[in-house]
Amino acid sequence: MNKLLSYISIAVLTLSAAEAVAQPFREYRDRNFWNAGRNVNGVRADSVTVSYAEISGGYESGGYRNVNEAASLWNAGAEAATITHLDKISMTGSFSFRHSDARDMCGSMMSKPGYYPVDILEFTPGRKTRQIYSIAGGITADIAENWRIGGTIDIENENYTKRKDLRHSNYRLDMTFVPSLMWHKGDIAAGASYIFSRTSETVRAEELGIVSGSYYAFLDKGLRYGVMDVWYNSGLHIFEAGVAGFPVAENSSGVALQFQWKGLYIDAEYGRRNGKIGEKQKIWYNFDGDNVSARLAYKLQLQDLTHCFSGTYSFRSTENMENVLEDVTENGVTLTRNYGASTVSLSNSHEAGVSWVARDGRMLSFGAGIGWKGDRTAASVLYPYVATQKKDRLDVGAWFWLPYRRFSMGCSVDFRFGWISDAARSVSDDVSPESGPTRLVEYYDIEREYFTTPSGIARLSFRYTFRSNVYIEARYRSCEPLKALYRNSGRYRFFAGLALGYDF
């Protein structure tokens, strides 16, 4: 039945790349190109004050899932946001809280798998809970006839806990601060922003009670190559003397430039990242990289419809260096010596996409888009072996949001296609270790199949808005592979949820 519903949705909707929940607040926010960029001063390019508040919850289940996903989960949360305009000042703000309770979940112990160049995995399915708190605010003011100044700050905290051995608890903090300046005159505006970001996370593992066996963990140094061992052994670094858990931190700073002339908008951004894994004298890894992104957008008014065309591109590079450390005791004092570092992984990621959105004055909107992401990674965790991977994904889709009196309906469909190419070689014939590097083959095979299997994602939402601008909305999402699977345990995955909100 779920398969039939998915195919009917795909046939009726024909393609999608976006969520089908285009609420009025998001409609007003998205019609101003500046709101998607770094410069908060562009908020004053519009003049409509709009806000919303919403509570929501839902249930997700189904066997078609990746190795880090839960067999099933419940989630609930609340969020609110506003864009407020005064005489010479405009303000933006948002707050959200979300709690999720997942069952039969294992895999990555990190809260954002794949974000850092090193990962920790465990293998006992169990219950995991997560709470995410985020708050953001921005203010912009006219300081002269043609000048505006402003800034934003965005903070997100996360608590992530597993309740079954091997247990772990995570605390993550992300913060971004962006001061900005803008000059404008008539149809022309130009701006500049400075960007500082810091993200940090600490994973603390533990084992409670008496158990009959040992729990294993895997330190992934890249492409699922790494170290498999009992979780408390020092080679994994999650239970090491003198270090509180497995701490990771990254700082980033950069600049962004923006320009607008009538319906044309351009922005570009560059950032430099520096990160470390470990603390005090025991820094096991140092990693750094660059971020580059650009966006070109154009707005065109044709009769009753406003058409927005946009193209985006981004690049992200990361080099991860592993330090060779040794504890040396001299005169009763133990110090950690660093004998040098070697590169264990190099990665480059490219993303590009184009999209089109059309809107009218009655909140009718529809659009389509296509996006591509390409990852290139090289990992060398044991000399002289080097593994490389080329990974590409293509997303194609379309969506619409249709209001009718007090009813609204949103629909979208997204098709995804992926390709992976692997290679491994030795860079020296003079060195021949007894065995090659350890790879988590079972997990890698599941991830590879999940990524390369074409899939379709259908989304539906139905909303009724009362006279008081309070609305109730039902949401459904179904994801299904378009061909038979061998290693994955399910034929589909679905989400069903309900939201109660207020637009004002």
Side-chain angles (χ1 to χ4, degrees), residues 375-425:
D375 297 324
R376 306 293 182 261
T377 305
S380 178
V381 301
L382 179 65
Y383 184 83
Y385 298 105
V386 177
T388 59
Q389 182 185 85
K390 295 181 180 180
K391 191 175 179 181
D392 295 276
R393 193 181 81 178
L394 186 68
D395 291 78
V396 184
W399 60 271
F400 72 81
W401 178 264
L402 177 64
Y404 178 72
R405 295 182 179 178
R406 297 196 173 275
F407 292 92
S408 300
M409 175 184 178
C411 301
S412 72
V413 171
D414 184 17
F415 290 102
R416 295 181 178 177
F417 307 89
W419 302 269
I420 291 179
S421 174
D422 283 299
R425 60 188 177 91

Side-chain angles (χ1 to χ4, degrees), residues 305-447:
L305 289 177
T306 302
H307 298 265
C308 299
F309 305 89
S310 64
T312 60
Y313 171 78
S314 65
F315 169 80
R316 176 185 173 94
S317 67
T318 303
E319 180 180 9
N320 186 33
M321 307 283 290
E322 183 174 17
N323 297 315
V324 180
L325 305 179
E326 181 184 17
D327 290 336
V328 178
T329 302
E330 296 180 354
N331 300 321
V333 179
T334 300
L335 299 175
T336 300
R337 289 183 178 176
N338 187 339
Y339 292 103
S342 61
T343 300
V344 291
S345 68
L346 290 168
S347 64
N348 294 319
S349 178
H350 302 261
E351 289 189 60
V354 292
S355 64
W356 158 72
V357 178
R359 300 182 177 92
D360 74 350
R362 299 177 295 109
M363 295 302 171
L364 168 68
S365 59
F366 51 92
I370 182 170
W372 164 79
K373 181 178 180 181
D375 297 324
R376 306 293 182 261
T377 305
S380 178
V381 301
L382 179 65
Y383 184 83
Y385 298 105
V386 177
T388 59
Q389 182 185 85
K390 295 181 180 180
K391 191 175 179 181
D392 295 276
R393 193 181 81 178
L394 186 68
D395 291 78
V396 184
W399 60 271
F400 72 81
W401 178 264
L402 177 64
Y404 178 72
R405 295 182 179 178
R406 297 196 173 275
F407 292 92
S408 300
M409 175 184 178
C411 301
S412 72
V413 171
D414 184 17
F415 290 102
R416 295 181 178 177
F417 307 89
W419 302 269
I420 291 179
S421 174
D422 283 299
R425 60 188 177 91
S426 174
V427 297
S428 174
D429 296 330
D430 299 330
V431 181
S432 180
E434 295 182 1
S435 60
T438 301
R439 192 174 203 185
L440 200 59
V441 176
E442 181 182 358
Y443 271 43
Y444 175 75
D445 287 343
I446 295 174
E447 290 177 312

Side-chain angles (χ1 to χ4, degrees), residues 60-82:
E60 183 175 344
S61 184
Y64 181 54
R65 58 192 176 100
N66 212 340
V67 293
N68 298 317
E69 295 182 296
S72 63
L73 67 88
W74 289 92
N75 69 69
E79 58 187 85
T82 184

Side-chain angles (χ1 to χ4, degrees), residues 129-140:
T129 59
R130 186 194 308 257
Q131 297 88 33
I132 301 176
Y133 313 79
S134 66
I135 185 170
I139 186 170
T140 170

Side-chain angles (χ1 to χ4, degrees), residues 151-470:
T152 60
I153 187 167
D154 190 340
I155 300 174
E156 182 174 278
N157 293 323
E158 179 175 346
N159 298 315
Y160 187 37
T161 305
K162 184 170 186 182
R163 305 296 185 88
K164 181 179 179 180
D165 292 341
L166 178 63
R167 300 169 184 254
H168 68 84
S169 58
N170 299 30
Y171 175 75
R172 179 177 64 87
L173 172 65
D174 288 354
M175 182 192 72
T176 302
F177 173 61
V178 185
S180 301
L181 186 67
M182 179 182 185
W183 174 87
H184 64 97
K185 185 175 183 180
D187 294 328
I188 299 177
S193 307
Y194 170 74
I195 307 160
F196 173 78
S197 297
R198 177 174 174 81
T199 176
S200 62
E201 180 172 359
T202 300
V203 181
R204 292 182 172 88
E206 62 178 344
E207 182 180 323
L208 299 182
I210 300 175
V211 296
S212 58
S214 298
Y215 293 103
Y216 282 78
F218 184 78
L219 176 65
D220 180 9
K221 300 182 182 182
L223 301 181
R224 295 304 187 212
Y225 288 97
V227 179
M228 174 75 79
D229 208 338
V230 179
W231 73 274
Y232 49 76
N233 282 351
S234 61
L236 300 179
H237 303 310
I238 57 176
F239 190 78
E240 191 163 329
V243 182
F246 188 79
V248 187
E250 180 185 73
N251 293 326
S252 173
S253 60
V255 295
L257 301 175
Q258 309 87 24
F259 174 79
Q260 183 177 22
W261 176 65
K262 295 184 178 180
L264 177 67
Y265 175 84
I266 303 171
D267 68 28
E269 179 180 323
Y270 169 78
R272 178 69 179 173
R273 309 185 328 275
N274 298 98
K276 63 179 182 180
I277 301 176
E279 65 179 10
K280 301 175 183 176
Q281 298 181 63
K282 294 188 176 181
I283 306 299
W284 306 305
Y285 299 91
N286 290 98
F287 58 93
D288 55 34
D290 300 285
N291 296 337
V292 178
S293 64
R295 182 164 63 107
L296 173 66
Y298 183 71
K299 185 182 297 184
L300 178 65
Q301 186 72 37
L302 293 176
Q303 296 181 351
D304 296 332
L305 289 177
T306 302
H307 298 265
C308 299
F309 305 89
S310 64
T312 60
Y313 171 78
S314 65
F315 169 80
R316 176 185 173 94
S317 67
T318 303
E319 180 180 9
N320 186 33
M321 307 283 290
E322 183 174 17
N323 297 315
V324 180
L325 305 179
E326 181 184 17
D327 290 336
V328 178
T329 302
E330 296 180 354
N331 300 321
V333 179
T334 300
L335 299 175
T336 300
R337 289 183 178 176
N338 187 339
Y339 292 103
S342 61
T343 300
V344 291
S345 68
L346 290 168
S347 64
N348 294 319
S349 178
H350 302 261
E351 289 189 60
V354 292
S355 64
W356 158 72
V357 178
R359 300 182 177 92
D360 74 350
R362 299 177 295 109
M363 295 302 171
L364 168 68
S365 59
F366 51 92
I370 182 170
W372 164 79
K373 181 178 180 181
D375 297 324
R376 306 293 182 261
T377 305
S380 178
V381 301
L382 179 65
Y383 184 83
Y385 298 105
V386 177
T388 59
Q389 182 185 85
K390 295 181 180 180
K391 191 175 179 181
D392 295 276
R393 193 181 81 178
L394 186 68
D395 291 78
V396 184
W399 60 271
F400 72 81
W401 178 264
L402 177 64
Y404 178 72
R405 295 182 179 178
R406 297 196 173 275
F407 292 92
S408 300
M409 175 184 178
C411 301
S412 72
V413 171
D414 184 17
F415 290 102
R416 295 181 178 177
F417 307 89
W419 302 269
I420 291 179
S421 174
D422 283 299
R425 60 188 177 91
S426 174
V427 297
S428 174
D429 296 330
D430 299 330
V431 181
S432 180
E434 295 182 1
S435 60
T438 301
R439 192 174 203 185
L440 200 59
V441 176
E442 181 182 358
Y443 271 43
Y444 175 75
D445 287 343
I446 295 174
E447 290 177 312
R448 180 188 179 94
E449 182 184 54
Y450 184 85
F451 186 86
T452 58
T453 300
S455 61
I457 303 174
R459 301 178 180 92
L460 300 172
S461 61
F462 299 93
R463 173 186 291 194
Y464 179 78
T465 303
F466 300 92
R467 293 185 181 276
S468 59
N469 283 338
V470 173

Side-chain angles (χ1 to χ4, degrees), residues 1-68:
M1 184 64 180
N2 284 283
K3 180 177 180 180
L4 178 61
L5 287 174
S6 294
Y7 286 153
I8 291 174
S9 299
I10 291 172
V12 172
L13 304 176
T14 66
L15 311 177
S16 151
E19 289 285 349
V21 185
Q23 301 160 345
F25 174 84
R26 293 186 175 92
E27 283 290 314
Y28 283 109
R29 180 196 63 189
D30 295 345
R31 72 181 188 178
N32 182 0
F33 291 141
W34 289 86
N35 289 337
R38 298 285 193 174
N39 198 320
V40 69
N41 298 295
V43 169
R44 292 187 62 79
D46 203 342
S47 60
V48 176
T49 294
V50 61
S51 307
Y52 88 101
E54 180 183 282
I55 57 174
S56 62
Y59 176 72
E60 183 175 344
S61 184
Y64 181 54
R65 58 192 176 100
N66 212 340
V67 293
N68 298 317

